[in-house]
Amino acid sequence: MDKTVREQLLELAEENYQQFSSSLIPTIHNVLGVRLPLLRKMAKTIAKGDWRAYLKHADSDYFEEIMLQGMVIGYVKCDLEEKLRYVSDFVPKIDNWSVCDSFCIGLTVARKYQERVWDFLQPYLRSKEEYELRFGVVMLLHFYVDAVYLRRVFEKLDTVQHDGYYVKMAVAWALSVCFVKDADSTLEYLKISSLDNFTYNKTLQKITESNRVDAETKKRIRAMKRKRS
């Protein structure tokens, strides 16, 4: 008899890894402790089978069960609009940065259908929900930091107004990616941005933490730090 998805996850769970993972995601308390490469392997197998039935009946009690669903959606081969419907159904399940970021990086379909996915993302970029908004921002940093979309990315990030820590950190991360791609344009934006002091200073910090930014530039960036009011 085939084992259920939960039975497989329970077999793969490691107590030490559970403690480690839980320490990285302090906002949740439902981690089993399954390593991401093992989840990806499971997701690829599910995506080759009756994945629609799996997604219809999948349990969402544990962190790994939710993570697995997101990975499967990324891997499945189907019509774009069908995939976006599954994305829409999944986003409300996101309740931590780890599921959000892993889900986003798997949605590589955005590279092929940039404009359609850009339109799809707009409601999330206006959302008042912390992780819906983070989803939109992380999608931008993975798939839209290029010559065609960079200005539009700045415009969207500048309109983000949310007190959530994980939104602010996502915006800072996104802008650090923009800086590596086009330092001059990003500096131009930062000079006129509407970013709050926390997000602005975190952006500078993220830039200086990048291995792709030279020492002299990092020194200039540190000098741009705003004093907290």
Side-chain angles (χ1 to χ4, degrees):
M1 183 176 177
D2 291 340
K3 295 176 182 176
T4 65
V5 168
R6 179 170 292 181
E7 287 171 340
Q8 294 177 63
L9 291 173
L10 289 169
E11 286 188 355
L12 295 171
E14 302 174 38
E15 184 176 352
N16 289 341
Y17 191 70
Q18 187 274 337
Q19 295 173 1
F20 171 72
S21 295
S22 295
S23 69
L24 295 177
I25 317 169
T27 57
I28 62 172
H29 306 282
N30 60 343
V31 178
L32 290 173
V34 181
R35 296 179 184 271
L36 290 183
L38 297 177
L39 287 176
R40 292 191 187 98
K41 184 177 180 180
M42 283 185 65
K44 288 178 181 178
T45 299
I46 293 170
K48 293 176 182 176
D50 190 358
W51 57 267
R52 292 180 179 85
Y54 159 74
L55 290 173
K56 183 177 180 180
H57 300 290
D59 293 318
S60 300
D61 297 321
Y62 291 106
F63 164 80
E64 286 84 354
E65 290 176 330
I66 299 170
M67 179 74 83
L68 187 63
Q69 293 170 46
M71 289 178 174
V72 169
I73 292 168
Y75 286 131
V76 297
K77 297 185 183 303
C78 64
D79 172 81
L80 174 64
E81 297 305 320
E82 182 179 13
K83 178 165 288 203
L84 293 181
R85 287 194 293 274
Y86 280 105
V87 172
S88 295
D89 290 340
F90 181 79
V91 170
K93 297 182 181 182
I94 299 173
D95 64 356
N96 63 84
W97 66 265
S98 184
V99 165
C100 177
D101 298 0
S102 294
F103 181 53
C104 290
I105 202 169
L107 295 177
T108 55
V109 68
R111 292 198 185 102
K112 185 176 181 181
Y113 301 101
Q114 267 190 306
E115 194 62 24
R116 172 66 186 98
V117 177
W118 174 272
D119 292 341
F120 172 81
L121 293 174
Q122 298 316 299
Y124 296 105
L125 292 166
R126 296 189 296 268
S127 177
K128 300 301 182 183
E129 299 297 323
E130 183 170 13
Y131 290 105
E132 289 188 2
L133 193 43
R134 183 180 173 98
F135 164 73
V137 172
V138 175
M139 286 296 290
L140 294 189
L141 73 89
H142 280 307
F143 303 112
Y144 293 93
V145 179
D146 59 32
V148 175
Y149 283 91
L150 191 60
R151 294 290 179 182
R152 281 196 269 177
V153 169
F154 291 146
E155 290 172 3
K156 290 299 174 182
L157 295 179
D158 206 57
T159 65
V160 172
Q161 299 290 330
H162 198 286
D163 290 333
Y165 174 82
Y166 292 100
V167 171
K168 293 177 184 290
M169 292 302 290
V171 172
W173 177 20
L175 287 169
S176 71
V177 172
C178 292
F179 184 88
V180 170
K181 178 67 176 181
D182 188 334
D184 290 341
S185 294
T186 306
L187 285 173
E188 180 183 326
Y189 161 71
L190 288 173
K191 290 176 183 177
I192 61 170
S193 78
S194 301
L195 299 173
D196 62 85
N197 286 351
F198 177 88
T199 306
Y200 175 88
N201 287 335
K202 279 296 180 182
T203 297
L204 302 186
Q205 179 184 327
K206 289 284 187 183
I207 292 171
T208 60
E209 289 172 350
S210 174
N211 294 328
R212 299 173 67 183
V213 178
D214 64 76
E216 185 60 32
T217 301
K218 288 181 180 181
K219 183 178 179 180
R220 287 171 45 219
I221 294 298
R222 291 189 184 99
M224 294 170 56
K225 186 175 180 179
R226 291 179 187 166
K227 293 181 179 180
R228 299 187 184 278
S229 56

